[in-house]
Amino acid sequence: MLFKRKEFLQLGSLATASFMVPKFLKSFERIDMVPAGNKVMVILQLSGGNDGLNTVIPIRNDIYYRERPRLGIEKTKALALTDEVGLHPALIGLKELYDDGSLGILNNVGYPNPDRSHFRSMDIWQTGSASNEYVTTGWVGRYLDAQCHGCDRPTYALEIDDVLSLALKGENSKAIAMKDPKRLFGTSNEKFFKDVLKSHKDSGEETVDYLYKTMSETLSSANYIFQQSQAHPSTTEYPKTELGNGLKTIASLIFSDINTKVYYISLGSFDTHVNQEAQQQRLFTELSDAVRAFSKDMKDNNRFNDVMMFTFSEFGRRVSQNASGGTDHGTANNMFLVGGALKQKGVINEMPNLDDLDEGELKYKIDFKTVYATVLKNWLDADDTAILGKKYEHLSFC
Amino acid sequence: MSLSNQLKNQHLLWRAGFGPAVEQLDNLDKTSPQKFYKAIQKTSSKKPEYIQAADNYLQGLMMGVQDAGKQQRQEMSPEQRKELQQKSREGIKNLNLYWIKEMVNTDAQLREKMSFFWHGHFACRNLNIFFQQQLLDVIRQNALGNFRDLIHEVSKTAAMLNFLNNNQNRKDHPNENFAREVMELFTMGRGNYTEHDVKEAARAFTGWGASAKGEFVFRKFQHDDGSKTFLGKTGNFDGDEVLDILLEHRQTAKYISQKVYRFFVNENVDPAKAEWLADRFYKNDYDISKLMEDIFTSDWFYDEKNIGARIKSPIELLVGIQRMLPMKLENEEALLLLQRVLGQMLFYPPNVAGWPGGKTWIDSSTLMMRMRIPQLIDDKDEFNIKPKDDDDQMMGRKDDEMKTKSDGNRMGRAGRPINAEVDWKKYLSYYDKVAREELVNDISGILLQTKKAVNADVISQYADAGSKENFIKTATIQIMSTPEYQLC
């Protein structure tokens, strides 16, 4: 890279690099920790279609054990929440949150006419569309459009990844995707790029202007995000996993006064057609350990009441196991809600009714878009009807 | 305004191949696009050589497994299995690098570009190097042949059958994955059939599987030979007949033509042109070579709106740079790392739908990374970037090696530079007769397809004016480091 190693190390310490700080950022040089009250949302995507029935387990349901002679998780092994409901044994961290009153479980979340193709169903969830409409913007992206009208730093939403998900792409604004604030900073901070950008005038060529717009937003956001991430870096120990590292980055940003309201991060793949047991065990351990560390970090810093985390997956899986030690694509699924300010806790609605299936598939009871509407309106104070293009009922968990 | 032959030829070479090679520079303004296309067609009609990436050791290991009758991997010892998996992953890396080399060096540009298109169309993940080699060969052999042969052959490869779980598709326990993707992604596209058609097609494919050696097997006793009703036809169909019924529907020709148009011409499809192509593709019984000829010999292909409007995919970008600036890479693995960071690793598509392409290549981090690549090559500086985590869909399988390790043990992390040795000689000699003050414009003309070049003053300001040679080199690197160079 053009950044020589030595230079980069110097820049890593802002104290010795004040000459690098553009004027508009000077005011951020001394960043105080944000007082409580600044609400944020953390979206955790479980990619690949997580098997909800082996996540939140109906431990007294005979149909469940009958349909899953090999995969069914015994009552004694599950982490019991109630007489009827247990969690997957690897989800110890979530069990602790449940005991603590900071976990909510929404069952039977889905949408009408479910699609069983990964990318299509993920599109539906990420765009917040009906299964027969094709929308090219994401629901968080449209939130970004609404919040960031004409702003040049689309940092209201950040994805901890190298590639930006459709969920965070709006009509006019796209969120920033970055795995590491330091890397983004390093690659953006070069004079040649700034001069190239300065010399550009609207070309009238759509793709050229699109690239320049992205470049401009990146350059103006990179310093900002990096500085914020260095202001009050989290000191809590996180598991050394992708998700652990990602949530630690998110925690550090939450402690700063960055304007980010929505964080997006993914874990996967949960597409367990074969060897489901080992795969789910491994991914749930990563999930549980990372969410546990993150929750502790938020609590220790008095910010847990400002955080609303939720999980989702593009679909659940069929009730009956397949012949390969796995499960095939299904429909409705559960979602976890995590936070210190949940208005409804524990198992919020009834477990799936395995007596009443649609060709072997779970029927949905809650449209996922009502969950989006609820968090947009009640948590982020946004115009959910405008963002989702339709009025949805609001749930009561926040 | 009429466009120059040079611009048109560059357009053709970027679309029907991976960009102009330095050897072609002298001919760019002399030859007509028609002549250029004829030449590409001719060189691309040669039968490709099989790419053998698995080394002798791995082949021995595999043969040993088969000789011992251990058809099931479960019968291998855990150590054997682990070793085989690890060697297989290394084999896939080598296959990736061999293919990239072929893309850079071959004069059969259209064949490799078309293969690259099909590689994304028949997106498949499989960690078995032998299966991957076989699928790539099927694609390269048929890339410009007939789509009918291509889809029948691809559908019988071990790589695809395993990836889409058809080994588990049995009479008493159908697995719809294979049938669904064949219809949704390989032939007709969504919205042209019912869920019932998918179920019936899945029944027809029951019993299709592959042996451990990668040979297609038809397991008669797992096949459902009952009557099926598929897309309005009723019969005791098997998989081949289902594929033929799909090809009978003009919608398949339309779906493929549109996708080809988006990939080779313009993301924004001109409906009339796409219909015209679909008609001819259908009438020519899915002759791919004729479809491509229809495109590349049409006047509208050279319309201004189609030139410089396409965002290069990461592979096109990486190969394109190497065609213009031939180079020896000491650290070849850097090419793999760049593929991962930019979001396109050959043999690891994000899911069965392949790479979505277009604007999705570009986000804040990938754009900045793209613009640094030429400097990385030139600068011999540290390669201190973090590869993309790979946690997308693998149909239940997880490639642990693809996953970023957090212990700092990353490829290239130990401060290994790319160490590229660029052979500038031919490139520099092309500019022998160009006056100093014309250089920036000429270099831009060769490298950029956009209507407006990047501001020449900025390029000059950052170029090394010490000597003409250094000026050309640094100006070239700078121009390649701009948003405009991302387009072709």
Side-chain angles (χ1 to χ4, degrees):
Chain A
M1 287 192 196
L2 281 189
F3 255 116
K4 303 293 187 213
R5 185 168 163 73
K6 249 191 232 155
E7 257 177 283
F8 190 78
L9 288 176
Q10 280 169 4
L11 288 171
S13 155
L14 284 171
T16 61
S18 59
F19 65 95
M20 283 297 299
V21 182
K23 273 204 180 90
F24 71 93
L25 283 175
K26 289 281 186 192
S27 57
F28 292 120
E29 272 181 340
R30 210 184 64 81
I31 302 167
D32 288 324
M33 198 130 168
V34 176
N38 185 24
K39 288 180 181 174
V40 299
M41 189 161 79
V42 181
I43 302 168
L44 174 47
Q45 172 180 303
L46 309 179
S47 310
N50 177 39
D51 179 21
L53 278 175
N54 273 17
T55 307
V56 180
I57 305 154
I59 48 179
R60 287 224 320 220
N61 191 315
D62 295 339
I63 302 173
Y64 167 75
Y65 291 104
R66 190 186 72 211
E67 293 300 316
R68 298 186 163 200
R70 174 167 160 197
L71 281 186
I73 293 173
E74 291 166 43
K75 188 180 174 183
T76 49
K77 291 203 177 130
L79 307 170
L81 303 183
T82 68
D83 286 350
E84 306 283 336
V85 184
L87 286 182
H88 187 284
L91 294 172
I92 306 165
L94 295 187
K95 169 70 162 66
E96 288 169 10
L97 289 167
Y98 175 88
D99 293 339
D100 178 64
S102 338
L103 181 80
I105 296 170
L106 285 175
N107 290 304
N108 312 308
V109 188
Y111 55 91
N113 304 315
D115 199 295
R116 288 166 196 82
S117 126
H118 286 290
F119 85 108
R120 180 59 194 145
S121 196
M122 193 54 102
D123 269 6
I124 291 166
W125 273 86
Q126 293 204 356
T127 57
S129 59
S131 61
N132 61 355
E133 44 174 7
Y134 296 83
V135 176
T136 54
T137 55
W139 72 284
V140 179
R142 294 193 299 273
Y143 164 76
L144 195 57
D145 279 339
Q147 294 300 305
C148 187
H149 199 71
C151 72
D152 66 346
R153 286 204 308 256
T155 47
Y156 282 91
L158 293 178
E159 178 166 11
I160 309 298
D161 202 298
D162 280 327
V163 176
L164 192 67
S165 298
L166 178 58
L168 291 93
K169 295 177 183 175
E171 189 66 48
N172 305 309
S173 311
K174 273 187 184 178
I176 301 275
M178 50 105 209
K179 189 151 275 169
D180 179 1
K182 199 191 279 176
R183 185 177 121 208
L184 180 66
F185 177 75
T187 51
S188 309
N189 226 313
E190 198 200 312
K191 204 166 172 298
F192 173 68
F193 291 149
K194 289 178 178 167
D195 285 346
V196 166
L197 179 63
K198 226 188 293 169
S199 72
H200 175 74
K201 291 177 190 70
D202 271 3
S203 68
E205 291 177 81
E206 189 207 343
T207 38
V208 177
D209 291 339
Y210 171 77
L211 294 180
Y212 271 100
K213 179 169 178 282
T214 306
M215 185 181 178
S216 159
E217 289 172 353
T218 307
L219 297 194
S220 65
S221 301
N223 282 353
Y224 178 55
I225 297 171
F226 176 63
Q227 285 214 332
Q228 296 290 328
S229 74
Q230 298 293 301
H232 296 280
S234 163
T235 53
T236 299
E237 197 169 317
Y238 282 73
K240 301 271 181 281
T241 57
E242 276 297 303
L243 187 63
N245 292 338
L247 287 181
K248 186 164 185 164
T249 298
I250 292 174
S252 300
L253 289 170
I254 288 174
F255 297 150
S256 77
D257 73 352
I258 195 166
N259 63 4
T260 308
K261 303 294 282 179
V262 181
Y263 297 92
Y264 200 97
I265 189 165
S266 307
L267 177 68
S269 165
F270 285 90
D271 195 17
T272 51
H273 290 281
V274 289
N275 295 331
Q276 171 163 319
E277 278 161 331
Q279 181 94 331
Q280 231 187 6
Q281 174 76 26
R282 184 174 66 74
L283 290 168
F284 278 169
T285 304
E286 182 170 350
L287 173 75
S288 171
D289 292 351
V291 171
R292 172 153 61 178
F294 178 74
S295 304
K296 179 181 181 306
D297 202 0
M298 291 301 120
K299 281 180 202 166
D300 290 351
N301 288 283
N302 196 27
R303 295 299 306 279
F304 200 39
N305 287 352
D306 297 329
V307 175
M308 170 70 65
M309 175 190 277
F310 73 78
T311 66
F312 81 94
S313 200
E314 68 266 38
F315 41 63
R317 308 191 77 88
R318 288 202 179 159
V319 176
S320 58
Q321 65 185 38
N322 66 19
S324 339
T327 48
D328 292 332
H329 303 180
T331 52
N333 208 348
N334 37 49
M335 295 174 74
F336 288 121
L337 310 165
V338 174
L342 288 177
K343 287 186 178 159
Q344 286 177 306
K345 297 156 191 179
V347 186
I348 294 173
N349 59 342
E350 78 279 14
M351 290 288 282
N353 183 351
L354 303 187
D355 277 324
D356 180 25
L357 300 175
D358 179 9
E359 293 185 20
E361 308 274 16
L362 300 177
K363 290 181 179 171
Y364 87 100
K365 298 280 166 55
I366 297 177
D367 190 323
F368 72 89
K369 295 180 282 300
T370 64
V371 179
Y372 291 177
T374 307
V375 292
L376 284 170
K377 181 74 190 166
N378 295 354
W379 193 255
L380 297 175
D381 200 19
D383 182 348
D384 57 308
T385 312
I387 291 166
L388 297 174
K390 202 176 154 186
K391 184 125 195 83
Y392 291 96
E393 108 187 73
H394 292 154
L395 304 174
S396 318
F397 62 84
C398 75
Chain B
M1 187 187 87
S2 81
L3 304 172
S4 69
N5 265 349
Q6 184 193 326
L7 185 65
K8 285 182 177 175
N9 284 328
Q10 287 175 185
H11 177 52
L12 174 68
L13 291 169
W14 272 113
R15 302 304 181 86
F18 293 91
V22 66
E23 294 83 8
Q24 294 171 313
L25 284 179
D26 287 331
N27 290 324
L28 285 176
D29 60 352
K30 295 186 187 126
T31 317
S32 70
Q34 288 76 10
K35 270 195 181 154
F36 247 109
Y37 185 68
K38 280 248 155 61
I40 298 171
Q41 231 178 357
K42 197 171 166 210
T43 48
S44 295
S45 60
K46 282 181 300 195
K47 188 176 155 64
E49 269 180 57
Y50 191 90
I51 302 181
Q52 177 68 263
D55 59 13
N56 290 339
Y57 178 79
L58 186 54
Q59 292 194 57
L61 204 63
M62 191 68 184
M63 289 307 188
V65 170
Q66 287 164 358
D67 289 348
K70 293 178 181 171
Q71 291 272 314
Q72 301 294 321
R73 287 191 326 139
Q74 281 76 5
E75 290 172 37
M76 300 167 68
S77 73
E79 292 76 28
Q80 268 181 314
R81 203 181 311 162
K82 207 173 163 194
E83 192 182 5
L84 191 63
Q85 279 172 352
Q86 196 196 332
K87 286 278 169 192
S88 192
R89 282 199 197 97
E90 278 168 29
I92 293 173
K93 280 187 192 171
N94 288 330
L95 186 61
N96 182 322
L97 294 172
Y98 279 130
W99 195 20
I100 294 258
K101 262 190 205 142
E102 183 70 12
M103 292 172 180
V104 172
N105 297 319
T106 186
D107 52 7
Q109 282 285 299
L110 178 61
R111 183 188 70 211
E112 295 310 322
K113 187 64 175 280
M114 205 67 218
S115 303
F116 175 60
F117 169 79
W118 294 124
H119 179 70
H121 183 74
F122 294 112
C124 177
R125 283 192 174 208
N126 196 306
L127 297 184
N128 184 313
I129 171 63
F130 296 99
F131 295 179
Q132 284 283 18
Q133 271 181 193
Q134 185 190 40
L135 175 59
L136 180 62
D137 193 56
V138 164
I139 285 176
R140 291 176 71 236
Q141 297 293 348
N142 294 289
L144 288 165
N146 191 292
F147 182 70
R148 183 181 296 275
D149 301 333
L150 181 60
I151 188 146
H152 276 276
E153 285 196 38
V154 164
S155 302
K156 287 180 175 163
T157 57
M160 198 58 89
L161 287 164
N162 285 334
F163 177 53
L164 296 176
N165 307 98
N166 211 65
N167 265 325
Q168 284 111 41
N169 187 14
R170 295 174 192 137
K171 188 177 176 178
D172 51 348
H173 232 291
N175 186 314
E176 291 163 13
N177 207 12
F178 185 82
R180 181 183 304 281
E181 307 306 11
V182 163
M183 297 166 73
E184 174 175 328
L185 300 166
F186 300 166
T187 55
M188 293 183 92
R190 286 177 50 82
N192 297 296
Y193 48 83
T194 63
E195 276 294 308
H196 184 76
D197 289 322
V198 175
K199 287 200 164 73
E200 295 287 277
R203 290 178 57 211
F205 284 114
T206 48
W208 278 33
S211 70
K213 282 186 185 172
E215 290 156 341
F216 175 73
V217 283
F218 178 65
R219 300 188 177 104
K220 203 178 155 197
F221 297 106
Q222 292 178 7
H223 179 66
D224 178 348
D225 54 10
S227 171
K228 296 121 193 152
T229 299
F230 177 65
L231 292 172
K233 288 197 162 188
T234 304
N236 300 358
F237 302 133
D238 63 15
D240 281 318
E241 286 164 316
V242 159
L243 291 175
D244 285 335
I245 293 173
L246 286 165
L247 291 165
E248 274 170 29
H249 282 258
R250 188 182 169 280
Q251 172 59 30
T252 296
K254 184 175 171 179
Y255 181 75
I256 300 295
S257 305
Q258 283 190 343
K259 196 164 173 182
V260 164
Y261 189 99
R262 270 199 302 277
F263 189 91
F264 289 93
V265 185
N266 201 317
E267 279 271 318
N268 300 316
V269 177
D270 180 328
K273 307 279 189 293
E275 279 300 322
W276 179 76
L277 290 173
D279 267 337
R280 294 178 56 90
F281 191 39
Y282 189 65
K283 278 183 200 140
N284 288 326
D285 193 30
Y286 293 98
D287 185 322
I288 302 164
S289 193
K290 284 186 183 156
L291 172 67
M292 301 320 287
E293 189 175 323
D294 281 343
I295 291 174
F296 294 124
T297 56
S298 284
D299 286 345
W300 48 257
F301 171 71
Y302 299 92
D303 279 353
E304 226 174 290
K305 67 171 182 194
N306 293 329
I307 297 179
R310 172 176 165 79
I311 300 177
K312 292 172 191 167
S313 87
I315 292 292
E316 289 164 337
L317 178 72
L318 294 170
V319 174
I321 293 173
Q322 294 181 77
R323 280 178 63 74
M324 188 54 72
L325 305 179
M327 60 185 77
K328 251 197 355 236
L329 295 171
E330 195 182 291
N331 175 12
E332 279 197 319
E333 295 224 330
L335 279 177
L336 301 174
L337 180 55
L338 286 171
Q339 289 176 44
R340 287 177 66 181
V341 171
L342 297 180
Q344 187 176 40
M345 177 108 167
L346 294 174
F347 303 102
Y348 292 93
N351 54 50
V352 283
W355 294 279
K359 288 181 182 174
T360 66
W361 294 126
I362 302 299
D363 63 53
S364 49
S365 356
T366 57
L367 179 61
M368 299 316 289
M369 192 61 229
R370 279 167 169 253
M371 296 197 296
R372 287 205 163 246
I373 289 171
Q375 303 167 16
L376 279 166
I377 289 167
D378 186 49
D379 222 50
K380 296 189 167 57
D381 203 341
E382 238 179 70
F383 197 12
N384 195 6
I385 53 169
K386 202 175 161 191
K388 177 175 158 43
D389 179 29
D390 184 82
D391 61 9
D392 40 35
Q393 298 140 18
M394 295 200 47
M395 309 308 289
R397 265 150 286 187
K398 185 84 186 177
D399 178 2
D400 289 326
E401 193 171 306
M402 293 290 293
K403 201 165 153 55
T404 308
K405 295 191 183 88
S406 311
D407 56 8
N409 181 24
R410 298 189 197 98
M411 179 168 57
R413 183 69 204 273
R416 288 175 66 197
I418 291 185
N419 278 354
E421 209 181 292
V422 179
D423 177 7
W424 288 96
K425 212 168 147 247
K426 267 193 206 122
Y427 183 78
L428 289 172
S429 72
Y430 172 75
Y431 298 101
D432 274 351
K433 289 179 193 131
V434 181
R436 185 75 173 247
E437 58 277 10
E438 290 298 320
L439 275 175
V440 173
N441 277 339
D442 272 35
I443 298 171
S444 288
I446 290 291
L447 299 179
L448 304 180
Q449 293 296 96
T450 49
K451 282 185 210 71
K452 274 187 209 151
V454 68
N455 186 306
D457 293 342
V458 173
I459 299 300
S460 299
Q461 186 194 332
Y462 282 86
D464 176 357
S467 67
K468 183 176 176 187
E469 191 179 309
N470 278 353
F471 185 84
I472 295 169
K473 285 182 184 176
T474 48
T476 297
I477 293 295
Q478 300 294 358
I479 292 170
M480 283 182 166
S481 308
T482 60
E484 283 84 349
Y485 188 71
Q486 311 311 312
L487 299 164
C488 72

